[in-house]
């Protein structure tokens, strides 16, 4: 381990310790903002594990997140199963589902993948609503637990830490090296012996896994779940924008996008709620035209370092 | 028989949507994810003109087409062309275009919501009409007829005129088109503008028989994309057949199963296409 | 040289793109430690042959065996691991990676599948082997054209391939670079590497190749020593036309 690694680990531990103290200092509104931010840290960072190196824009987060929330709600409400069991089930379901989507679309060009994920959450929402109304019978789904917002926050913090650790491990592994090569030139990657399809599908499955876990953990926050609430296309876009805003060529990049964006988003939602969509659009254009490497890229440029 | 006729009538409008996107993606190489919002804007214009001045949507077409043409030309010239110029590879451009058009799509939604947050409902030619033994609303039939007329005009323009030939040349190979003296940037801008204008006109026609609101754009974008990919990028004949297939399948599912599942049906088709014919219905297998 | 066992065996190889037949019933083999040149006029299907061997394209019909293993319709990554490494007609380096990482890509995922320190030192030795001694830390985009070609060659060698495919590796070099390039490939051949090269530079063909395959319109036109095929009237006609 190099001195730099040791330093990074220490910084990481300090950050986690500070983050863990948030519920002890804040409560009410600010805790709930922190919780939202923590949710997006886990989602955007795990999203960037896949999309950073491949440049494939996945809009499937909302679908996987919805699978997590919906399965937890159905299992607890209709079948009296435990929260933890349903969280595990939803993670497995989402991972397998991501694998299937990946196998069907990732061997083709990136455009097909974006289009396929674009309407995915909406399609699943339609199907789930239909199943609920016609097959299962329409009943409200209640997620009743003893979890407080602080508990949910700490669980999400744990997930975020797991994402960071996994990300760091992947970056040092053959898989991480393979992804960097794929991101540079997929044809070369194939011809040096990388099974590019398998590598991409594996990483896409990780994002599905984490998004479902986050969806499951968030479910108790709402207590009453319906498909329209959890299968949210908007969530997919927010995850994308925050990761891009932060910058995806560093593991901690999305973090720098999530925190400012969540704060601005909250402020806009309170004061000028009709402006949110417009703001989302402006944020996309800002990134494309002015911040192609995100906040991280900007910082590195200001420090005079080379941007990759 | 009812399903067949209303399916084909719906498919006729999809043809128009898909032709708009096909021009934008096939020629200008911009995967325009704000295409659906152009449709919504067309519908909104039609709704406004009809409710405030009681002018027939058919006449609105002639108003919407030039405005949308200019608007889309400006978008291409000032927002997209810089991306085309800075892109190092096609893949790079694709990602940039996707993100930029997402941005535009949200901005357009935001604008439409601030103009009119509700549904664009109005009644135009909502009279029953007897067609081959089935009863259809007259507005659907009129929309279909206009969709066919516009599609035919577009087809003739592409295949018979000098400008149309340049557009087709760029669609096949921008590099070679440049070599024979075609101004690729100009032709791309033209194709993008016409594509957007055709989509907006499709929006006008659709609004006569479907109630739209600010948020439905993405659904139309999805459908247009599915049709373009199913038909094969740049393949007009393929797009027409794909649009009719989608119209038929959606109508069948909506009638026999549940209207809430039309998107699921569209997805199912999309999945089949991706798995078995990613190069499009009539495309030759690529290596 | 021709006493070695057959390494690459190609039988009836055909590839058509829609209606266009790029390679038509081509058969040839390459023996161990042999350097075989594939030559022919533009558009005769030479690069397509390399693309078929390396798995970039799937053959329409015919078979390709490497050391007795069937690699005919295998995916490119599988063929690379079996022991086929290649360079590209238009040089393809990984622009975001350092010279060292570029070469490591071959070492990590090729036939040897080395990792960490082993891969790093293997890559380092190859970087020196191709003559890039002090440049391993540089970003690859800062290199000159011939140095980028060296990186690509080192990357291909790093996988320790059974056979090396060079697609116009010498194209675009100036006369002095060309001499350097030719002696580099010659030294690889002296190490005992098996090489198939597609090339337009006739001096290089004469110096390097034990045997030549001449293609015309996707078919085998002639086969033999460089001097013999280059004086063959049929070959001259194919290059210069009928008059």
């Amino acid at each position: 381990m190099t001195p730099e690694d040791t330093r990074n680990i220490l910084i990481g531990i300090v950050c986690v310790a500070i983050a863990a103290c948030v519920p002890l200092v804040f409560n009410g509104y600010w805790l709930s903002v922190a919780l939202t931010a923590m949710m997006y840290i886990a989602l955007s960072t795990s999203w960037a594990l896949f999309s950073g190196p491949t440049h494939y824009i996945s809009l499937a987060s909302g679908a996987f997140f919805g699978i997590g929330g919906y399965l937890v709600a159905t299992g607890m409400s209709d079948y009296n199963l435990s929260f933890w069991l349903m969280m595990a089930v939803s993670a497995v379901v989402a991972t397998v589902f991501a694998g299937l989507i990946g196998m069907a679309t990732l061997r083709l060009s990136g455009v097909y993948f974006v289009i396929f994920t674009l309407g995915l959450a909406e399609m699943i929402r339609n199907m789930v609503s239909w199943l609920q109304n016609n097959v299962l019978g329409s009943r409200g789904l209640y997620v009743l637990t003893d979890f407080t917002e602080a508990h949910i926050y700490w669980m999400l913090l744990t997930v975020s830490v797991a994402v960071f650790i996994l990300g760091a491990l992947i970056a040092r592994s053959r898989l991480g090296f393979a992804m960097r090569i794929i991101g540079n030139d997929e044809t070369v990657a194939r011809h040096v012996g990388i099974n590019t399809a398998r590598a991409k599908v594996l990483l896409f499955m990780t994002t599905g896994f984490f998004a479902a876990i986050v969806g499951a953990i968030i479910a108790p926050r709402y207590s009453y779940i319906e498909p329209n609430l959890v299968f949210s296309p908007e969530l997919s876009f927010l995850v994308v924008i925050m990761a891009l805003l932060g910058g995806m060529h560093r593991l901690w990049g999305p973090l720098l996008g999530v925190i400012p964006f969540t704060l601005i988003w909250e402020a806009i939602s309170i004061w000028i709620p009709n402006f949110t969509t417009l703001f989302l659009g402006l944020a996309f254009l800002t990134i494309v035209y002015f911040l192609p490497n995100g906040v991280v890229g900007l910082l590195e440029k200001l420090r005079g370092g080379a941007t990759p | 028989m009812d399903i067949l006729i209303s399916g084909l009538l719906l498919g006729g409008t999809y043809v128009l949507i898909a032709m708009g996107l096909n021009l934008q993606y096939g020629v200008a190489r911009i995967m325009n994810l704000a295409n659906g919002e152009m449709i919504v804007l067309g519908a909104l214009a039609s709704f406004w003109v009809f409710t405030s001045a009681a002018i027939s949507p058919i006449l609105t077409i002639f108003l919407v087409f030039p405005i949308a043409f200019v608007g889309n030309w400006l978008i291409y010239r000032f927002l997209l062309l810089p991306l085309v110029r800075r892109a190092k590879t096609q893949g790079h451009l694709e990602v940039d275009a996707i993100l930029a058009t997402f941005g535009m799509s949200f901005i357009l939604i935001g604008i439409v919501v601030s103009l009119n947050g509700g549904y664009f409902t109005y009644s135009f030619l909502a009279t029953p009409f007897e067609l081959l033994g089935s009863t259809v609303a007259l507005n659907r039939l009129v929309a279909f007829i206009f969709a066919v007329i516009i599609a035919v005009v577009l087809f003739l323009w592409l295949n018979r005129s000098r400008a149309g030939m340049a557009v087709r040349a760029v669609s096949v190979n921008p590099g070679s088109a440049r070599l024979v003296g075609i101004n690729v940037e100009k032709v791309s801008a033209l194709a993008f503008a016409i594509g957007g204008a055709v989509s907006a006109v499709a929006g006008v026609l659709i609004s006569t028989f479907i109630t739209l609101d600010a948020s439905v754009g993405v659904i139309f974008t999805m459908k247009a994309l599915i049709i373009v990919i199913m038909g094969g990028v740049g393949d007009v004949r393929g797009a027409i057949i794909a649009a009719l297939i989608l119209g038929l399948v959606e109508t069948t599912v909506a009638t026999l199963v549940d209207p809430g599942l039309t998107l699921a049906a569209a997805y199912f088709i999309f999945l089949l296409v991706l798995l078995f014919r990613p190069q499009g219905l009539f495309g030759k297998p690529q290596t | 040289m021709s006493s070695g066992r057959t390494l690459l065996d190609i039988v009836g190889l055909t590839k058509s793109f829609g209606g266009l037949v790029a390679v038509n019933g081509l058969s040839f083999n390459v023996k161990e430690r042999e350097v075989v040149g594939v030559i022919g006029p533009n558009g005769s299907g030479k690069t397509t042959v390399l693309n078929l061997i390396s798995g970039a394209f799937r053959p329409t019909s015919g078979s390709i065996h490497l050391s007795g293993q069937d690699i005919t319709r295998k995916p490119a990554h599988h063929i690379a691991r079996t022991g086929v490494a290649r360079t590209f007609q238009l040089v393809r380096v990984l622009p975001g990676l350092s010279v060292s990482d570029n070469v490591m890509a071959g070492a990590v995922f090729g036939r040897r599948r080395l990792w960490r320190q082993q891969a790093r030192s293997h890559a380092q030795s190859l970087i020196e082997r191709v003559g890039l001694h002090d440049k391993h830390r540089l970003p690859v985009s800062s290199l000159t054209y011939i140095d980028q070609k060296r990186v690509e060659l080192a990357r291909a060698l790093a996988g320790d391939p059974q056979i090396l495919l060079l697609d116009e590796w010498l194209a675009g070099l100036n006369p002095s670079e060309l001499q350097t390039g030719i002696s580099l490939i010659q030294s690889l051949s002296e190490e005992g590497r098996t090489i198939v090269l597609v090339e337009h530079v006739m001096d290089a063909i004469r110096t390097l190749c034990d045997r030549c395959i001449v293609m015309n319109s996707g078919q085998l036109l002639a086969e033999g020593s460089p001097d013999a095929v280059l004086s063959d009237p049929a070959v001259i006609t194919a290059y210069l036309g009928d008059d």
Side-chain angles (χ1 to χ4, degrees):
Chain A
M1 210 180 279
T2 64
E4 203 181 339
D5 291 337
T6 323
R7 197 198 63 182
N8 289 343
I9 290 173
L10 285 176
I11 294 176
I13 291 173
V14 173
C15 290
V16 171
I18 295 173
C21 294
V22 167
L24 307 177
V25 182
F26 297 105
N27 50 41
Y29 175 70
W30 287 107
L31 177 58
S32 122
V33 172
L35 195 157
T36 307
M38 193 50 79
M39 168 179 116
Y40 282 114
I41 289 172
L43 290 173
S44 298
T45 311
S46 63
W47 182 87
L49 288 183
F50 166 75
S51 294
T54 56
H55 310 298
Y56 280 56
I57 308 294
S58 159
L59 293 167
S61 311
F64 300 134
F65 178 90
I67 289 174
Y70 187 77
L71 284 183
V72 162
T74 313
M76 291 178 71
S77 194
D78 288 357
Y79 302 96
N80 237 343
L81 297 167
S82 91
F83 170 75
W84 303 105
L85 174 71
M86 286 319 293
M87 183 164 96
V89 169
S90 68
V92 172
V93 170
T95 311
V96 171
F97 189 52
L100 294 176
I101 296 171
M103 282 188 262
T105 56
L106 286 176
R107 56 198 179 94
L108 304 166
S109 103
V111 178
Y112 295 78
F113 177 75
V114 182
I115 299 165
F116 194 82
T117 57
L118 172 64
L120 194 64
E122 181 69 16
M123 196 252 325
I124 297 179
R125 186 179 68 84
N126 286 352
M127 286 187 71
V128 168
S129 302
W130 182 79
L131 277 175
Q132 217 180 6
N133 293 332
N134 296 280
V135 182
L136 303 170
S138 179
R139 266 171 300 173
L141 298 172
Y142 293 92
V143 183
L144 302 172
T145 57
D146 301 330
F147 298 141
T148 62
E149 288 230 305
H151 291 135
I152 296 176
Y153 174 86
W154 280 319
M155 283 195 266
L156 290 173
L157 176 63
T158 315
V159 176
S160 301
V161 171
V163 173
F164 273 90
I165 293 174
L166 184 75
L169 291 177
I170 288 178
R172 287 146 186 278
S173 69
R174 274 172 191 273
L175 180 60
F177 188 43
M179 291 312 280
R180 281 171 63 208
I181 298 168
I182 293 172
N184 269 278
D185 190 330
E186 203 171 328
T187 308
V188 169
R190 273 196 293 274
H191 282 100
V192 294
I194 297 170
N195 188 341
T196 54
R198 201 189 57 161
K200 287 188 283 183
V201 172
L202 268 178
L203 275 189
F204 186 54
M205 287 166 78
T206 5
T207 68
F209 173 84
F210 283 113
I213 298 246
V214 171
I217 293 176
I218 287 289
R221 188 190 196 188
Y222 297 123
S223 21
Y224 180 77
I225 297 277
E226 52 170 318
N228 293 343
L229 181 72
V230 288
F231 290 103
S232 142
E234 189 186 78
L235 180 117
S236 311
F237 284 103
L238 289 175
V239 168
V240 173
I241 199 99
M242 292 187 202
L244 291 173
L245 180 64
M248 296 196 294
H249 57 283
R250 295 277 181 273
L251 183 56
W252 42 272
L255 192 67
L256 298 190
V258 171
I259 294 171
F261 195 93
T262 312
L263 292 175
I264 300 172
W265 189 254
E266 287 292 327
I268 291 178
S269 310
I270 294 170
W271 288 311
I272 25 177
N274 286 334
F275 190 67
T276 48
T277 328
L278 203 58
F279 173 70
L280 199 56
L282 291 173
F284 265 112
L285 293 188
T286 309
I287 288 170
V288 174
Y289 293 98
F290 305 109
L291 280 175
N293 290 314
V295 174
V296 176
L298 186 69
L299 290 177
E300 282 170 353
K301 209 169 173 181
L302 291 177
R303 271 175 30 193
T307 44
Chain B
M1 194 65 194
D2 284 356
I3 294 175
L4 191 67
I5 287 175
S6 35
L8 286 176
L9 291 183
L10 183 63
T13 345
Y14 286 168
V15 168
L16 219 48
I17 300 176
M19 281 183 109
L21 188 67
N22 220 336
L23 277 173
Q24 296 187 323
Y25 185 54
V27 182
R29 299 289 195 281
I30 299 287
M31 179 46 88
N32 182 11
L33 297 172
N35 185 268
E37 276 64 46
M38 209 45 72
I39 294 167
V40 170
L41 277 180
L44 178 64
S46 169
F47 167 73
W48 261 355
V49 171
F50 189 81
T51 47
S52 61
I55 292 173
S56 152
I58 303 302
L59 293 174
T60 313
I61 290 177
F62 297 99
L63 179 70
V64 162
F65 189 91
I67 296 176
F69 180 89
V70 173
N72 278 279
W73 188 85
L74 291 173
I75 289 177
Y76 185 83
R77 181 65 194 77
F78 291 102
L79 287 173
L80 298 171
L81 193 57
L83 298 182
V84 175
R85 285 184 179 159
R86 87 173 187 201
K88 291 188 201 85
T89 62
Q90 179 62 25
H92 204 123
L93 174 62
E94 237 150 40
V95 174
D96 273 352
I98 285 169
L99 296 175
T101 53
F102 271 147
M104 290 167 206
S105 134
F106 284 118
I107 290 175
L108 290 176
I109 295 174
I111 293 173
V112 173
V113 168
S114 62
L115 293 175
N116 185 334
Y119 291 100
F120 318 151
T121 329
Y122 63 99
S123 174
F124 170 72
L125 292 180
T127 44
F129 184 82
E130 199 77 14
L131 182 72
L132 301 172
S134 304
T135 314
V136 292
L138 186 58
N139 49 28
R140 280 186 184 251
L141 186 65
V142 171
F144 178 79
I145 291 169
F146 272 87
V148 172
I149 294 173
I150 294 166
V152 169
V153 169
L154 200 57
F155 189 80
L156 289 178
W157 178 74
L158 279 175
N159 286 287
R160 297 285 147 82
S161 77
R162 203 179 158 76
M165 193 165 86
V167 169
R168 282 186 296 133
V170 174
S171 147
V172 173
N173 189 335
S176 315
R178 194 170 289 119
L179 290 181
V180 296
I182 294 172
N183 184 338
V184 173
E185 286 182 356
K186 223 168 138 184
V187 170
S188 297
L190 178 69
F192 190 87
I194 293 180
V198 169
S199 303
V201 168
V204 174
L205 293 177
I206 289 170
S207 73
T208 60
F209 61 95
I210 294 179
T211 301
L212 288 90
D213 67 28
S215 68
V216 297
V218 63
I219 302 289
F220 285 105
T221 308
M222 267 314 290
K223 288 177 182 172
L225 293 170
I226 292 176
I227 293 166
V228 168
I229 289 169
M230 176 157 55
V233 175
D235 183 345
V236 175
R237 181 187 51 156
I240 292 171
I241 291 172
L244 295 178
I245 292 176
L246 189 71
L248 278 176
V249 171
E250 281 194 355
T251 314
T252 311
V253 170
T255 321
L256 301 181
V257 192
D258 190 300
L261 288 183
T262 49
L263 187 64
Y267 247 85
F268 182 66
I269 299 181
F270 189 29
L271 193 61
L272 291 181
V273 170
L274 288 184
L275 290 178
F276 301 109
R277 291 206 72 82
Q279 71 279 14
L281 287 177
F282 301 106
K284 291 195 179 74
Q286 296 287 307
T287 43
Chain C
M1 289 266 182
S2 54
S3 57
R5 69 187 175 99
T6 299
L7 195 62
L8 182 71
D9 191 20
I10 293 176
V11 180
L13 192 65
T14 300
K15 174 72 193 177
S16 53
F17 297 100
L20 178 82
V21 184
V23 177
N24 193 355
L26 184 72
S27 301
F28 69 93
N29 57 49
V30 178
K31 296 198 166 52
E32 213 165 21
R33 307 167 77 90
E34 202 177 21
V35 178
V36 173
V38 181
I39 61 174
N42 283 330
S44 56
K46 305 179 298 284
T47 292
T48 308
V49 171
L50 290 201
N51 281 332
L52 290 169
I53 299 172
S54 68
F57 297 157
R58 288 177 175 216
T60 310
S61 63
S63 75
I64 307 169
H65 285 79
L66 181 73
S67 301
Q69 275 178 282
D70 188 0
I71 56 166
T72 310
R73 275 184 187 78
K74 297 286 187 291
H77 66 88
H78 180 96
I79 293 175
R81 283 180 201 177
T82 313
V84 177
R86 68 171 294 177
T87 65
F88 294 88
Q89 195 167 13
L90 300 167
V91 64
R92 288 184 99 138
V93 287
L94 304 163
L97 270 56
S98 69
V99 169
S100 175
D101 281 353
N102 258 275
V103 179
M104 257 183 80
V108 172
F109 299 102
R111 196 156 72 106
R112 290 279 285 275
R113 299 191 75 70
L114 302 171
W115 185 227
R116 292 192 197 285
Q117 205 44 52
Q118 279 179 306
R120 174 97 30 223
S121 55
H122 184 59
Q124 187 55 41
S125 69
L126 284 164
I127 289 170
E128 282 165 22
R129 178 77 188 75
V130 298
L132 287 168
H133 307 276
D134 45 358
K135 295 179 179 153
H136 65 279
R137 283 196 173 277
L138 293 177
V140 74
S141 47
S142 70
L143 297 182
T144 60
Y145 188 65
I146 184 170
D147 280 354
Q148 294 200 359
K149 294 212 143 194
R150 289 184 210 252
V151 170
E152 214 189 12
L153 182 63
R155 183 178 69 209
L157 290 170
D160 193 22
Q162 301 187 56
I163 190 163
L164 181 62
L165 312 178
L166 302 179
D167 193 354
E168 297 192 31
W169 193 78
L170 296 164
L173 302 184
N174 68 35
S176 73
E177 289 171 341
L178 190 61
Q179 283 316 311
T180 323
I182 289 175
S183 33
L184 183 57
I185 297 177
Q186 200 158 27
S187 69
L188 293 175
S189 154
E190 280 157 12
E191 266 177 21
R193 303 258 180 203
T194 313
I195 302 172
V196 174
L197 47 93
V198 165
E199 204 51 73
H200 280 299
V201 183
M202 286 308 158
D203 283 348
I205 296 287
R206 283 206 177 86
T207 320
L208 294 170
C209 298
D210 302 310
R211 202 150 52 89
C212 270
I213 306 288
V214 189
M215 289 183 69
N216 191 25
S217 312
Q219 287 172 311
L220 184 71
L221 182 67
E223 184 178 353
S225 74
D227 287 332
V229 295
L230 289 177
S231 54
D232 184 333
V235 174
I236 295 168
T237 312
Y239 266 95
L240 300 177
D242 275 326
D243 336 299

